Amino acid sequence: MQLAHSKHGKYLLIQAEGRLDASWSDLFSETLLKYIREGEHQVLVDASGLNFLSSAGIRSLLIVHKELLKVGGTFRLVRPTDFVRDTITVTGFGEWLRSDFPGDFPAESGEAGVLAHPDREHYVLAGDSGLTLIRLDKLFEKISTSSGREKKIAFGVNDFGFGVGEAFQGADSADVSGGGEFVAAAGHVALQPPDERGRPDYLIAEKEYIPELKCRQMLKYSGDMSHIFRFKPIDESPANEISKIIDTVFDLTGADAAGFVVLGEIEGLVGASLVHSADMSRRDDFLAWPDVRDRLSFCGERSYAHEQALITGIAARGERREDFTALYPMPSRPDLSVHIHAVVFPYQPLPNGRLELKSSVSRFFGGPPPRAVMHLIDDARPAIGLGESALIRGACWCGPVLNPEVLL
Amino acid sequence: MLKINGIRKTFLPNTPNEVRALREVSLHIKEGSFTAVIGTNGSGKSTLLNAVAGTFEPDAGSIHLNNLDITRWPEYRRAHLVGRVFQNPFAGTAPGMTIAENIVISMHRGKSRGLGTAVTRSVRDEIADRVRVLKMGLEDRLDNPIGTLSGGQRQALTLLMATWLRPKLLLLDEHTAALDPKSAAKISELTKDIVDHEKLTALMVTHSMQQAVDLPNRIIMMHRGNIVEDVHGDQKTRVRVPDLMAAFDRIAKRDLFDESVATLLARQYG
Amino acid sequence: MSLIIGAFTMGLILSLLSLGMLISFRMIRFMDITVDGSITLGASLAAVLISAGWNPWVATLAAMGGGFLAGAVTGLLHARFKIPELLSGILVMTALYSVNLRVMGRSNIPLLDVPSVSAAMETFIAFMSGGAEKINTLGWMISSTDLATFLTTLFICILIGTLLFRFLLTHLGTALRAAGDNAQMVLAQGLNNKTMIIFSLALANGLVALSGALLAQYQGFADVQMGIGMMVWGLASIIIGEALVGKAGLGLAITGTILGTILFRLLIAIALRWGLNPNDLKLVTALFVFAALVAPSWIATLKKKISGGSRYAQN
């Protein structure tokens, strides 16, 4: 079997020749899934050269179809041979078949591999909107009784943030584990239990229910995002580093302080997560070597490549850096002060274009459970540093932070 | 039963190649329990087993077995209490000697060996009966040199020999690692049968996570000469291979967590 | 004809040396060089004691005891003091040279007009034949002394061979063989393999010394130089024996060693008869052992080449 691809306007045309059977079906589905990952969501298969289709072949077509369904794409088999048409009609997938190319199919092909969408495609959502930031920090406060150490915080659909806390289970429970790290976005919360053995837990806002956490430390930014932009690899730099994304955030919002949410395919994440949060009475002790190894877990390598990340973060530049005490300068970009957390999900495709934030986040929380929650770190150590986290492609929603931080 | 208290062992001390194989390792094993020791390469798991077997004397610490202080006992003397199966399937049997002769030697483990004829007719019948249980057809080949058998067959016989006289402690040193998958599965099964049936106390070093999950009722994980995890009781019944892999992953991460990382985190954490 | 019976007798005597070396070289795989010293020790002890009027049987047993001790010392040096096996043997062999000179008081003791272990047999033959000098044995005329020596040696050989065979089948003997076959296994089965090595070497050198004692009585003298090269002769005999009957089974190994030694002596007798310079004997023996050690792998390569070539030709 031979596969060739070409780009025609918004369509990706796959020319398949030969037999699509058990020995070729994996190659076929893998190739097409790769194109879908790269953002090709309008897929036409020119089936005029396809002279055989086995059940394994139909399965591979179905895999591609399902993947495209997730991102609202289209999948068509054009000009099928009689054998292929009969086989597909009998199996009930007749909707895939088209006798000819669609009306908007350009006769001339574009250059293969070059995507139709412009770089840094962006949309204004609500130009005059902005975010308000509040901060809670009781983590390192020395308080004799445990009752005053945490505060109940609700994370609704317009709230974003991260911090250390634990799920609120109705009445105040007596046990104080210290909580784990969490990331909250649009009514969804992913929570890493304070024991690295456990998998992250998650809470979802539904109808009347709004996730509430007993927090010991958190940054929450609330309001409507003003912009969304899409990013993807460009030839010179296949990876989009966090700092590059933040630069775009500042460019679009025109602000010197902004909150953002990113959904995207991971190139590599660098970060740490809280393993043991009890007994965090003093910051200096807590972060002191070597005991810090029992409290924080460092990723050790650029991790979770090709999974999807949901990232929430705050960044400030210039004088606005002074407004926020919970932001830290990036060692490789001292002009930027940030605080960023990420949740890792197994890979799922993202639709193209102007994505809606809430439904996009829901899509991830509705799928396979999250794999990890981590605090992203810029590892600029000379020679052995892992660098900063980077994504391959995805979407970023952002908005200016209007106020100086409010300490709860 | 087996009480290992704070044993330390450093190989090639005061040289550039110094290896601190065991650092203050303590481990108590109850009678009738089956413990697996897992760990990365060079974690000290085999060294721990060898310390119990008596291949070397520890630099510090003590080993008690059956309420006897065996710390200074030479290897052959410990064999009176301890049965052993090695990773190398050829290590546990004498290749030039017959199956019957090999087994006769193990029938007198820890006993005096006189000038009586070793393989008498009645002994031979007894051996044939026990060997028949292996279902390898070896009972008809008792007079063949063991060197003519396959690794799996030899390992099965070594296991039989190690447990012929009920040992106080059975040491299994990656005893299926050098076998083909089919033989390894068979020896695994045989090990479980014998240990369960004879209610033996066993300590097994293994590379196979699956084996560590399937066979024993306790898992010890070692890293850099320390015991870093001890999974037993209810916790052990719940543990699965991915949990063990995750534990290894944590250990690997912790290794990469050095002082420079701590400095890095101190600046960006809070 | 006396040449052949002489070679047979000599072969039988030296087969005890070979049996000793069968234990050290083959059973416990120990390159024991003590042999060159302990055979002389056996000869000198026997010669001195018999000259001093001891019963030759008792003297022979005492000689055997001397060899036993020498072997034990080699074993101790290796097992207790961790001296490499070759060096342990060399040390004891060198020490034995002085010991032997001390035992004998000089470098050579002749045994003339003293009884030997075959004395009883001589009396018996004399009684049976009515005192004839030569006796018709299977059509050959053989001196009664030679016949007596031959028969006595044959008796001792068969006795020792049988005892050794029985011993190796006992629990202790089985353990001894296992110690040579797989030391790790022996340790794991609760046996002290160091003790096994010491005991085996003692036993082996006891047999070697017995051989020396009989040799001295047969030759009629003990000489401090007589042990030189004996180890290589013993090795050659074992190799010939293995070529004759193979290695399968203990009985065959023992029989083969005895037959091999006899055949080797016959070959030497014939070679000397054909005019081989006795001074070249040891060189020839060494060359033979060299060939025997190298030949197997050499033949295997050759076979591979030949079969490989034919396969190529078929294609």
Side-chain angles (χ1 to χ4, degrees), chain A residues 139-140 181 196-197 217 272-274 283 287 289 292-294 296-300 304 328-329 331 375-381 384, chain B residues 224 228-231 235 242-243 246-247 249-270:
Chain A
L139 197 56
F140 298 113
E181 270 173 310
E196 56 187 324
R197 257 156 256 201
Q217 186 191 50
S273 51
L274 197 57
R283 183 175 180 279
L287 291 169
W289 168 267
V292 65
R293 291 186 301 170
D294 297 326
L296 294 177
S297 160
F298 182 63
C299 63
Y304 302 112
Y328 308 98
H375 177 157
L376 299 188
I377 298 287
D378 176 20
D379 182 2
R381 287 176 293 165
I384 51 168
Chain B
R224 300 203 170 181
V228 290
E229 299 266 345
D230 185 349
V231 188
Q235 221 185 339
D243 302 322
D249 195 39
R250 282 200 301 278
I251 290 167
K253 277 183 185 172
R254 202 186 145 97
D255 268 1
L256 292 165
F257 199 141
D258 58 15
E259 233 175 319
S260 68
V261 174
T263 316
L264 185 76
L265 294 184
R267 292 207 190 106
Q268 297 178 60
Y269 232 88

Side-chain angles (χ1 to χ4, degrees), chain A residues 82-263:
Chain A
D82 290 347
F83 179 85
V84 169
R85 183 195 297 114
D86 293 348
T87 312
I88 288 185
T89 313
V90 166
T91 46
F93 297 114
E95 50 167 322
W96 297 344
L97 299 170
R98 289 291 182 276
S99 56
D100 209 344
F101 291 106
D104 56 350
F105 188 84
E108 291 292 306
S109 78
E111 202 180 320
V114 173
L115 300 175
H117 314 292
D119 186 37
R120 289 287 186 270
E121 159 198 5
H122 65 273
Y123 307 92
V124 178
L125 299 173
D128 53 351
S129 66
L131 304 166
T132 51
L133 182 79
I134 57 171
R135 172 171 163 248
L136 169 77
D137 197 350
K138 294 192 181 293
L139 197 56
F140 298 113
E141 281 178 25
K142 216 166 195 166
I143 299 170
S144 53
T145 57
S146 64
S147 57
R149 293 180 94 172
E150 58 276 302
K151 202 169 180 89
K152 210 190 297 171
I153 308 283
F155 288 92
V157 290
N158 283 323
D159 295 329
F160 309 90
F162 42 82
V164 176
E166 58 191 319
F168 180 68
Q169 293 155 345
D172 281 284
S173 54
D175 103 279
V176 182
S177 68
E181 270 173 310
F182 69 86
V183 168
H188 300 75
V189 176
L191 180 71
Q192 174 80 52
D195 169 2
E196 56 187 324
R197 257 156 256 201
R199 293 189 142 238
D201 203 354
Y202 55 96
L203 306 165
I204 301 173
E206 258 177 320
K207 292 175 189 156
E208 307 297 301
Y209 173 74
I210 293 172
E212 275 185 313
L213 293 173
K214 284 194 291 185
C215 295
R216 297 180 66 188
Q217 186 191 50
M218 65 100 208
L219 273 180
K220 179 165 102 166
Y221 46 110
S222 313
D224 292 319
M225 295 293 177
S226 63
H227 293 78
I228 172 181
F229 65 91
R230 304 299 301 255
F231 55 90
K232 58 180 178 281
I234 39 180
D235 289 342
E236 312 88 77
S237 56
N240 286 281
E241 291 86 7
I242 290 291
S243 58
K244 213 153 99 184
I245 292 172
I246 291 171
D247 287 339
T248 312
V249 167
F250 287 140
D251 286 353
L252 282 179
T253 58
D256 285 343
F260 56 90
V261 176
V262 180
L263 272 174

Side-chain angles (χ1 to χ4, degrees), chain B residues 17-152:
Chain B
N17 297 325
E18 180 178 285
V19 179
R20 291 173 68 190
L22 295 174
R23 312 175 186 212
E24 294 272 346
V25 172
S26 294
L27 177 65
H28 290 205
I29 288 181
K30 278 194 228 136
E31 175 123 40
S33 72
F34 188 171
T35 305
V37 184
I38 57 175
T40 45
N41 283 333
S43 61
K45 56 186 193 302
S46 284
T47 313
L48 179 68
L49 205 74
N50 288 336
V52 176
T55 313
F56 57 83
E57 273 189 22
D59 299 336
S62 67
I63 302 171
H64 287 78
L65 179 59
N66 213 24
N67 294 324
L68 295 166
D69 184 352
I70 61 166
T71 318
R72 305 283 161 217
W73 284 24
E75 193 173 355
Y76 71 91
R77 192 170 165 207
R78 297 191 197 193
H80 299 182
L81 304 172
V82 176
R84 285 168 80 186
V85 184
F86 305 93
Q87 175 178 8
N88 180 350
F90 307 128
T93 46
M97 301 174 68
T98 67
I99 296 178
E101 284 172 336
N102 269 280
I103 292 181
V104 154
I105 290 172
S106 75
M107 289 167 77
H108 282 248
R109 180 161 50 80
K111 295 182 184 171
S112 68
R113 291 166 208 260
L115 293 174
T117 305
V119 185
T120 60
R121 190 175 295 265
S122 66
V123 165
R124 221 173 165 285
D125 289 346
E126 191 189 343
I127 291 173
D129 284 346
R130 289 278 284 269
V131 169
R132 196 168 287 123
V133 180
L134 300 178
K135 296 196 186 76
M136 288 175 165
L138 298 177
E139 59 277 8
D140 302 324
R141 301 168 65 184
L142 292 183
D143 293 325
N144 289 21
I146 269 194
T148 60
L149 306 185
S150 73

Side-chain angles (χ1 to χ4, degrees), chain B residues 1-2 29-33 66 166 168 199-201:
Chain B
M1 186 62 211
L2 175 68
I29 288 181
K30 278 194 228 136
E31 175 123 40
S33 72
N66 213 24
R166 190 177 182 280
K168 293 288 173 203
K199 297 184 175 56
L200 295 176
T201 313

